[in-house]
Amino acid sequence: MSVTNPPLESVLISESCLQQRIYELGRQIFTDYENQELILLGVLRGSVLFFADLARAIFKAQHESQMKEVALRFEFVQLMSYHDSTQPSTVQLIRGGSDYLKEQHVLIVEDIVDTGHTLNFLCEHLQTLNPKTVKVCTLLDKPSQRQVSVPIDYTGFEISDTFVVGYGLDYAQQYRNLPYIAVLGSI
Ligand code: PRP
């Protein structure tokens, strides 16, 4: 089988920059939720690498503080977006996100917020499940592309309007396993 992908143009965020920022986010989240139970809700598929490193960063913060803890649970949702130039984007829940979120603190973990439609759909869906609180942590934010306003509580990096891949983000399902964020060359 041969797979031809567009080449990568450049590295936008190196592995060490990613890990340093995720460590900082983990400490901040740990401080905000200390001595509480928190559900990390990963949005499949793009968030998986960020999710795993963020969960470990929260543990590191706990390890360093010694006295306090955050009891973490892992849950996942999978959403699908339909983009059609003649219609507003629609989003559909494929799996996850049901009664286990009731009365819980929930932190949505996203790889990127672009138009905001996915996050907007998910936040509205979660409100029907009566969680105690819902906050959002995204690794990347592309505010220039926003079509619907969404609340973001923790942001790793704000980026400009370029097509990025790696560290969970794909082009035609490829490049998700890069340990860094790269700019894709001409498609
Ligand atoms: C990507 C990304 C976000 C969403 C953001 O998911 O993981 O969930 O798009 O875009 P938006 O703000 O314009 O809604 P995608 O639908 O590509 O699926 P994937 O996570 O499986 O790659």
Side-chain angles (χ1 to χ4, degrees), residues 43-46 81 110-118 170 176:
V43 182
L44 298 172
R45 291 172 288 237
S81 304
E110 262 287 23
D111 53 335
I112 187 164
V113 180
D114 201 325
T115 64
H117 286 294
T118 304
D170 73 307
R176 290 194 197 270

